[in-house]
Amino acid sequence: MTPRRLLPALVLAVSVFFSVSCVTPPPPECTPCQSLPQAPAPGTSAPETPAATPVVPVPETRPTPPRDVVQAARLKPARFAQLPGWQADQIEAAWPALLRSCDVLVADRRWTDVCTVATTLGAQPGRAAVRQFFETRFAPWQVVNGDGSTHGMVTGYYEPLIRGSLKRSALSAWPIYGVPDDLVTVDLSEIYPELKNMRLRGRLEGNKLVPYWTRGELAAQGGNVRAPVIAWANDPIELFFLQVQGSGRIALNDGTYLRIGYADHNGHPYKSIGRWLIDQGELTLSQASMQGIQRWARSHPKRLRELLDQNPAFVFFRRMPSGNDGPLGALGVPLVAERSIAVDRSAVPLGAPVFLATTEPNSTRPMRRLVMAQDTGGAIKGGVRADYFWGFGDEAGALAGRMRQDGEMWVLLPKGWAPN
């Protein structure tokens, strides 16, 4: 028996324990989780958001089309005339993201016809043709929370750039780990089909499955962690936030770049270090943005380990193809800057177009545009809940770090598909 595959009897023995202590993703087809991260007052900055840490590993090959079941209570029929700003959006900017979704969805009979037509229209059909395509072939459905409300939280994420090296040195001393040899992952759907997308993660002690090491326990092991080192980071704070985002690029000493992406995680729930700093009286709510947390950490180097260990969750990476495309989302396609979002896939079908009506970061200026639901995240739970992908680099990071806005969402589904 290898560490990665356990006998059904072992799964049955540990499922009750691990379904509480080690599984971070929400159960499929459930009522929206309303215990969202603490939101600051309007006009203030946002704590760090673990948006790009998918709960399901990105597939190594072309993924099977996701078979999401959208509960009727979550979606309410609407009309395009009800979508605020629909006519004003530069809708053609979302077309490349739609074509990427169709690379996966075309194999799903519910999407085959619309994706086939989209492909025949080509890469740049023009604004009028794109608008006609959506208005004639899709029907909008407003996303409704479990309590009947139609508003929710919209945060932002991005692809960071950090500095590092392929070899350890006095400067590059912080390991970026691949998936450990002793990490055990159990797919519960093999035993309980109703637990789709649920994973157990742990390690073996003899013939007993126990929780995997926390962030602090991994750090205490030093060089004894049973995981390959992909690269070495120059800055532990930058590395921490790269884990929070779930993917990024490493600027190497020779001037080249290495792209890495999410591969797996240790199974422990994400906990906000920004919230911990607020609770400790070290930062105010308005100061607990990603940038504010970084400033505090750099001014308190002796407390850095204490700070980072407040989040027991730990992400493991894998090398990704280089290029200028965005990082891979949970759908298995590259994300498009400012036209891709992360959603709770139990409320919104992965890959679907979504019209998002919100405001710009730390502002009341309207931001209304068509995006594609191409990613998921451990903190993205609930019906009206989205994480907006801003793109790559520091400017995108500054926008993502300030974004914590109110918003509404409408899912566009092919005509004839009534959510069940």
Side-chain angles (χ1 to χ4, degrees):
M1 179 177 65
T2 64
R4 299 293 175 86
R5 292 195 57 84
L6 298 177
L7 295 175
L10 180 56
V11 175
L12 292 170
V14 301
S15 61
V16 174
F17 169 70
F18 276 94
S19 64
V20 175
S21 63
C22 290
V23 180
T24 58
E29 305 164 30
C30 64
T31 305
C33 175
Q34 300 302 315
S35 57
L36 298 174
Q38 295 291 325
T44 60
S45 299
E48 80 283 6
T49 306
T53 307
V55 296
V56 180
V58 174
E60 295 288 349
T61 58
R62 186 185 179 105
T64 302
R67 302 293 298 180
D68 296 278
V69 177
V70 182
Q71 296 182 6
R74 294 266 181 101
L75 301 180
K76 181 174 67 175
R79 301 183 314 245
F80 281 102
Q82 296 174 295
L83 277 54
W86 170 257
Q87 293 296 329
D89 182 30
Q90 296 179 352
I91 194 172
E92 71 278 9
W95 192 252
L98 171 73
L99 293 181
R100 292 182 183 182
S101 283
C102 279
D103 285 343
V104 174
L105 298 180
V106 69
D108 185 329
R109 60 180 177 80
R110 300 171 298 182
W111 295 91
T112 300
D113 289 346
V114 294
C115 284
T116 300
V117 173
T119 302
T120 61
L121 289 176
Q124 296 178 321
R127 184 177 303 179
V130 171
R131 192 175 304 282
Q132 182 183 32
F133 168 80
F134 280 106
E135 291 181 352
T136 58
R137 297 184 179 276
F138 287 83
W141 297 77
Q142 185 167 21
V143 184
V144 180
N145 294 315
D147 61 1
S149 62
T150 58
H151 286 253
M153 185 166 60
V154 181
T155 50
Y157 68 114
Y158 75 111
E159 184 183 22
L161 174 67
I162 71 170
R163 289 160 290 280
S165 173
L166 296 179
K167 295 182 179 180
R168 184 176 185 176
S169 67
L171 176 62
S172 305
W174 302 87
I176 303 172
Y177 289 116
V179 179
D181 297 333
D182 59 344
L183 177 65
V184 176
T185 301
V186 181
D187 185 350
L188 287 180
S189 65
E190 294 181 2
I191 306 300
Y192 305 109
E194 66 273 17
L195 297 181
K196 174 187 174 185
N197 300 324
M198 297 291 283
R199 303 286 191 273
L200 305 182
R201 290 173 173 85
R203 58 187 175 83
L204 291 175
E205 284 188 354
N207 62 355
K208 182 180 179 182
L209 186 63
V210 299
Y212 200 72
W213 308 111
T214 65
R215 176 181 298 274
E217 291 169 341
L218 286 168
Q221 293 180 33
N224 296 321
V225 176
R226 293 176 54 181
V229 177
I230 296 175
W232 298 85
N234 290 9
D235 189 320
I237 306 171
E238 289 184 350
L239 176 56
F240 177 88
F241 280 99
L242 187 147
Q243 285 202 334
V244 170
Q245 299 302 317
S247 63
R249 304 184 202 182
I250 305 170
L252 302 175
N253 299 333
D254 61 1
T256 62
Y257 296 88
L258 172 65
R259 172 175 266 161
I260 58 175
Y262 171 92
D264 215 326
H265 66 95
N266 65 348
H268 289 272
Y270 172 89
K271 293 186 178 179
S272 169
I273 61 174
R275 170 54 56 186
W276 182 79
L277 287 170
I278 293 170
D279 292 342
Q280 296 293 310
E282 298 291 338
L283 294 178
T284 65
L285 195 58
S286 62
Q287 294 171 331
S289 64
M290 180 176 66
Q291 294 82 3
I293 295 169
Q294 289 176 331
R295 286 192 294 269
W296 186 94
R298 297 188 196 288
S299 63
H300 297 80
K302 293 183 179 180
R303 299 188 65 186
L304 177 61
R305 187 76 268 155
E306 178 189 9
L307 172 67
L308 300 186
D309 289 353
Q310 300 307 312
N311 178 21
F314 195 93
V315 171
F316 305 106
F317 293 98
R318 62 187 176 103
R319 290 173 179 256
M320 303 296 291
S322 59
N324 293 323
D325 282 346
L328 291 183
L331 185 64
V333 300
L335 305 179
V336 176
E338 301 187 41
R339 292 291 172 170
S340 296
I341 61 171
V343 297
D344 181 346
R345 62 183 297 170
S346 69
V348 176
L350 202 57
V354 176
F355 190 75
L356 181 66
T358 184
T359 51
E360 294 179 6
N362 207 10
S363 167
T364 59
R365 292 187 298 272
M367 191 178 86
R368 299 161 176 170
R369 59 189 59 177
L370 183 65
V371 294
M372 301 295 149
Q374 296 175 326
D375 206 0
T376 59
I380 312 306
K381 300 175 183 178
V384 187
R385 178 70 175 97
D387 218 19
Y388 184 83
F389 179 65
W390 281 100
F392 168 73
D394 292 342
E395 183 178 351
L399 291 166
R402 295 196 301 268
M403 189 169 193
R404 202 173 186 85
Q405 315 298 118
D406 179 75
E408 294 180 278
M409 297 164 56
W410 288 262
V411 180
L412 306 188
L413 298 179
K415 285 186 175 179
W417 177 8
N420 55 22

